[in-house]
């Protein structure tokens, strides 16, 4: 594939900005908004999802600040708390936070695994956690559409949590990523602990000479 055109790069950068600043998760919607903002009406110039994700990661690095780095660490810490409380569901961290992205709206995306979503709803209710329900649509490698339930509730420090509840055998195979179609990256509690330790190490003051 050749070098992307200038307008394609600008569209990718604008779509990335929209996704980070406005908390939009839908790549198609971000592309449409970017095209409107830039006054572009050429479908052949539209960037791919992977181009937008790469632009978002680059933007997050370029505009990193003490506040954004602190927010990243705080959200990783919040993810660990929730993952510990739900450890029997073998939770996995997914989504932008796992990629090192800090969105304007604090949201943790987790995958959990249970026999039924009803038992998870009941358990959360017994803990005094009220949740809203919804569905995520995934496509299998065979092209079949799967509808997987998710639960939305409040986590530590006013962080919103979206827990997608897969069947128990869903632990073996991650669903395709909407970015590139490959298995979606997932992180265990141990891996999130490592990410948090790395973030803390980056912020630690350099030793005196």
């Amino acid at each position: 594939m050749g070098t992307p055109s200038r307008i394609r790069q600008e569209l990718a950068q604008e779509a990335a900005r929209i996704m980070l600043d406005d908390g939009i998760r839908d790549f198609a919607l971000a592309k449409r908004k970017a095209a409107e903002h830039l006054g572009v009406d050429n479908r052949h110039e539209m960037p791919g999802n992977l181009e937008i994700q790469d632009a978002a990661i680059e933007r997050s690095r370029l505009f990193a600040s003490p506040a954004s780095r602190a927010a990243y660490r705080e959200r990783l810490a919040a993810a660990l708390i929730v993952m510990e409380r739900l450890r029997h569901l073998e939770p996995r961290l997914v989504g932008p936070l796992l990629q090192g992205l800090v969105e304007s709206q604090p949201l943790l995306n987790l995958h959990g695994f249970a026999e039924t979503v009803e038992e998870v709803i009941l358990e959360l209710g017994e803990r005094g956690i009220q949740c809203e329900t919804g569905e995520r649509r995934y496509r299998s490698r065979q092209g079949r559409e799967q509808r997987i339930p998710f639960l939305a509730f409040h986590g530590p420090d006013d962080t919103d949590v979206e827990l997608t509840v897969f069947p128990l055998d869903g632990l073996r195979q991650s669903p395709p990523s909407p970015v590139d179609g490959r298995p979606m990256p997932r992180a265990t509690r141990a891996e999130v602990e490592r990410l948090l330790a790395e973030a803390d190490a980056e912020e630690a003051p350099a030793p005196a000479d």
Side-chain angles (χ1 to χ4, degrees):
M1 182 177 177
T3 303
S5 68
R6 180 182 60 81
I7 189 62
R8 186 182 179 110
Q9 292 175 328
E10 290 179 357
L11 282 166
Q13 292 165 0
E14 178 64 7
R17 184 196 66 77
I18 290 170
M19 295 187 81
L20 288 173
D21 293 352
D22 298 347
I24 291 176
R25 296 296 185 89
D26 188 317
F27 282 92
L29 177 58
K31 291 177 190 180
R32 290 198 299 272
K33 285 182 171 291
E36 291 173 3
H37 290 177
L38 298 179
V40 175
D41 185 17
N42 187 342
R43 295 183 181 180
H44 297 293
E45 294 287 355
M46 284 297 175
N49 294 350
L50 186 57
E51 292 173 78
I52 296 173
Q53 177 178 276
D54 289 344
I57 292 172
E58 182 63 20
R59 181 181 180 84
S60 186
R61 289 171 179 165
L62 284 174
F63 292 96
S65 65
S68 66
R69 287 191 288 268
Y72 173 65
R73 296 195 308 275
E74 289 168 2
R75 292 177 195 181
L76 285 176
L80 280 174
I81 293 173
V82 177
M83 294 173 81
E84 171 62 25
R85 292 172 179 172
L86 301 176
R87 59 187 178 278
H88 57 292
L89 301 178
E90 299 194 60
R92 302 290 191 267
L93 178 67
V94 299
L97 185 63
L98 181 56
Q99 299 158 359
L101 300 176
V102 178
E103 300 172 299
S104 59
Q105 300 174 1
L107 176 64
L108 302 178
N109 291 94
L110 300 174
H111 287 181
F113 308 90
E115 291 188 0
T116 67
V117 67
E118 288 79 12
E119 68 184 68
V120 181
I121 294 173
L122 180 61
E123 177 196 344
L124 291 177
E126 290 174 345
R127 296 187 184 189
I129 300 174
Q130 300 302 314
C131 59
E132 298 180 359
T133 61
E135 283 187 335
R136 292 263 178 259
R137 295 185 180 184
Y138 296 101
R139 286 203 174 275
S140 68
R141 289 188 173 275
Q142 295 73 32
R144 294 192 301 269
E145 184 177 87
Q146 299 174 299
R147 297 189 175 189
I148 308 297
F150 75 85
L151 307 177
F153 54 92
H154 293 298
D157 299 324
D158 293 326
T159 301
D160 290 328
V161 179
E162 286 190 3
L163 172 69
T164 305
V165 183
F166 289 83
L168 292 174
D169 60 4
L171 185 59
R172 296 198 302 267
Q173 180 64 55
S174 183
S177 167
V179 177
D180 56 13
R182 297 178 180 179
M184 187 180 298
R186 289 168 164 171
T188 63
R189 276 187 298 151
E191 291 166 333
V192 176
E193 287 175 349
R194 177 179 57 78
L195 290 174
L196 181 57
E198 290 175 354
D200 287 338
E202 290 179 0
E203 290 303 303
D209 294 335

